[in-house]
Amino acid sequence: MRPLALLPEICLVVGAVATLLAGSFLPRQRQWVARLVAVAALLGAGVATAAVLGDPPQPAMMGNYAVDTGTNVLRLVVVAATLLVVGLGVDELAGTPRESETHALLLLSALGAVVLGGASDLLVLLVAFLLGSIPIYGLVGVLRSPGAAEAAMKTYLLGALFGIVLVLGVTVLSGVGGTTAYPGLATGLAEAPPAAVAFGVLAVVGGLMFEAGGVPGHFWVPDATQAAGTPVAAFLSTVPKLGALLAVFRLVPVVPDTVDAPLLVAVLAAATMTVGNLAALAQTDVRRLLGWSTVSQVGYLLLPVAVAGRSADALPSLLVYLGGYAVTNLAAFAVVAATPGRRTVEDSRGLAASSPWLAGALVVALLSLVGTPPTAVFAGKLTTFTAAWDGGLAWLVVVAAVNTVVSLVYYLRWLAPVFQRPEQGAQPQRPRPFAAVAAVLAAACVLALGVGLGAVSPLVEGTLAR
């Protein structure tokens, strides 16, 4: 055990318990104290990570957990994203009966995402999957509306199904590989029957697609983002997938050449981005549109995962894209949280006239999701496309480019009403203040990351612990 190496994770788990206890003993009008405890825990995890950023890779938890560039960048992105979710959710959650429970579940799910990304052992991977997914079921249903209850039940059933698939894959791989630790598996699986290895890898990657929100585990995402509370929808469409994608990235190089794991991931990437974009074309509810949008983004994020170990740019491009996607997706959801009365694309009519700053933030967020310069997702797409091309997956880059053009249709369809005149007699609605500030702040970060890619590049350069 190396407790100091796990200080960020300790901050999150202690913060979750303290938030829950604080909320249990405080009256409803003073639940903001529990919120501050959650923020303090997140800031503590961020500071603890920044203190070790750039250190050489080192194993922790008896070699079952990796503290390296990937884990440290993931910690920072998860902490920043969760802080932004807490900020954009103040208007909606303050003073509600489930405020402290929501923040405690956010911290626990964030912890699960971090541990999932740093796991270098199949059993730790399995525990992290449960830690990250079980709080999601509660978060989706915490709104207690009929739609939220249905979405929570659907998310739970799919999570249980893909959890079983993941357990099956872990069992097969550990059985034929002779161990659960990744360094030992790399040797043990090379001498195992290829069919068994292929089945195990397919089951593990398929199970992780539930948390990532990719095909075939994506069905819960649009329903949950539409029915859950806005801060919860923003969180579950962003944070869990960060850890799951890094977890797949760590697993792919462990698979021997007898099984074509890169081709499996590449097929999943093509299917995920195509399904997400085609489904988003028909959506009119902005939260459901963002739900399908996040499915499509997982497809792009799988490009560098498919060339893990084959391209030197794979890890840096994945980390850049993870950070850029997180802040961009949260900027879009912050605009939605600031204008709760605008539920459909057509409801966005006149937003530029009534709230020019929010309209600007929405423009930046949606153009970034398309991949327009100079934004964060443009930097992510540019580097991931380059890595996939260098890794020999030129056909997948072409598929991703075509999908990017398709996505332009539904993002622009949302933007067009924003700049139209409001309907005659319509009364402008005052935006929620905390969410509006979060939207503008996130949009500024989107532009800063797009312009300052060179400044953050040294942070994502490095290797994974083996």
Side-chain angles (χ1 to χ4, degrees):
M1 292 288 290
R2 303 171 64 93
L4 289 180
L6 300 175
L7 191 55
E9 287 80 1
I10 294 173
C11 288
L12 291 177
V13 69
V14 171
V17 174
T19 300
L20 192 60
L21 290 177
S24 301
F25 292 101
L26 288 170
R28 185 178 301 179
Q29 63 271 22
R30 296 183 63 188
Q31 290 287 306
W32 56 269
V33 176
R35 188 194 319 142
L36 288 184
V37 172
V39 170
L42 289 166
L43 290 176
V47 171
T49 303
V52 299
L53 201 62
D55 288 356
Q58 58 177 319
M61 291 175 58
M62 296 178 288
N64 298 321
Y65 189 74
V67 179
D68 50 26
T69 301
T71 303
N72 284 329
V73 173
L74 176 66
R75 286 166 166 173
L76 289 178
V77 175
V78 168
V79 164
T82 309
L83 278 171
L84 201 51
V85 169
V86 172
L88 71 87
V90 171
D91 305 292
E92 184 173 320
L93 293 173
T96 60
R98 298 287 177 268
E99 182 180 4
S100 59
E101 289 89 340
T102 300
H103 289 121
L105 290 173
L106 289 176
L107 289 180
L108 288 175
S109 188
L111 173 64
V114 170
V115 177
L116 195 61
S120 58
D121 184 284
L122 290 175
L123 294 181
V124 177
L125 183 79
L126 186 57
V127 171
F129 175 87
L130 297 175
L131 182 59
S133 58
I134 291 176
I136 292 177
Y137 312 147
L139 285 169
V140 175
V142 78
L143 202 58
R144 295 196 169 187
S145 66
E150 180 183 347
M153 180 59 71
K154 187 173 185 179
T155 304
Y156 166 73
L157 292 176
L158 286 172
L161 173 64
F162 281 91
I164 292 171
V165 172
L166 179 61
V167 170
L168 181 61
V170 168
T171 304
V172 172
L173 288 182
S174 59
V176 298
T179 180
T180 57
Y182 286 4
L185 275 178
T187 305
L189 293 180
E191 300 174 357
V197 176
F199 179 81
V201 171
L202 180 64
V204 171
V205 174
L208 290 174
M209 284 300 103
F210 169 79
E211 289 241 356
V215 172
H218 66 287
F219 292 103
W220 64 278
V221 178
D223 291 340
T225 53
Q226 184 182 23
T230 308
V232 171
F235 179 85
L236 62 86
S237 64
T238 305
V239 175
K241 64 177 78 277
L242 305 178
L245 289 165
L246 185 58
V248 180
F249 189 94
R250 287 188 189 277
L251 181 64
V252 169
V254 174
V255 181
D257 293 337
T258 53
V259 175
D260 199 345
L263 179 61
L264 166 66
V265 177
V267 171
L268 287 178
T272 300
M273 67 178 76
T274 303
V275 168
N277 282 321
L278 292 181
L281 288 174
Q283 306 306 320
T284 56
D285 185 295
V286 294
R287 290 167 49 152
R288 195 169 182 84
L289 187 151
L290 284 176
W292 282 112
S293 163
T294 196
V295 172
S296 70
Q297 293 292 330
V298 174
Y300 304 123
L301 284 161
L302 283 171
L303 262 73
V305 178
V307 293
R310 295 187 175 189
S311 170
D313 296 328
L315 179 62
S317 64
L318 175 65
L319 298 178
V320 167
Y321 203 160
L322 287 178
Y325 165 74
V327 70
T328 300
N329 193 55
L330 292 177
F333 269 103
V335 174
V336 175
T339 57
R342 301 177 185 272
R343 290 298 300 258
T344 67
V345 171
E346 189 59 30
D347 289 340
S348 300
R349 178 186 292 271
L351 180 62
S354 61
S355 306
W357 285 98
L358 280 180
L362 184 62
V363 169
V364 170
L366 296 186
L367 291 183
S368 181
L369 287 173
V370 173
T372 307
T375 58
V377 171
F378 167 75
K381 281 190 175 181
L382 182 64
T383 53
T384 54
F385 285 15
T386 302
W389 189 281
D390 291 343
L393 292 177
W395 67 270
L396 186 57
V397 176
V398 174
V399 172
V402 172
N403 270 277
T404 298
V405 175
V406 172
S407 70
L408 191 62
V409 175
Y410 60 83
Y411 289 129
L412 290 182
R413 185 162 56 84
W414 186 0
L415 280 181
V418 171
F419 296 97
Q420 294 176 352
R421 291 182 179 179
E423 294 182 357
Q424 196 169 13
Q427 294 296 322
Q429 299 174 349
R430 189 175 182 180
R432 289 174 165 173
F434 281 94
V437 171
V440 174
L441 179 63
C445 291
V446 170
L447 293 175
L449 283 175
V451 175
L453 176 61
V456 301
S457 292
L459 300 178
V460 297
E461 296 291 343
T463 58
L464 297 182
R466 299 295 182 194

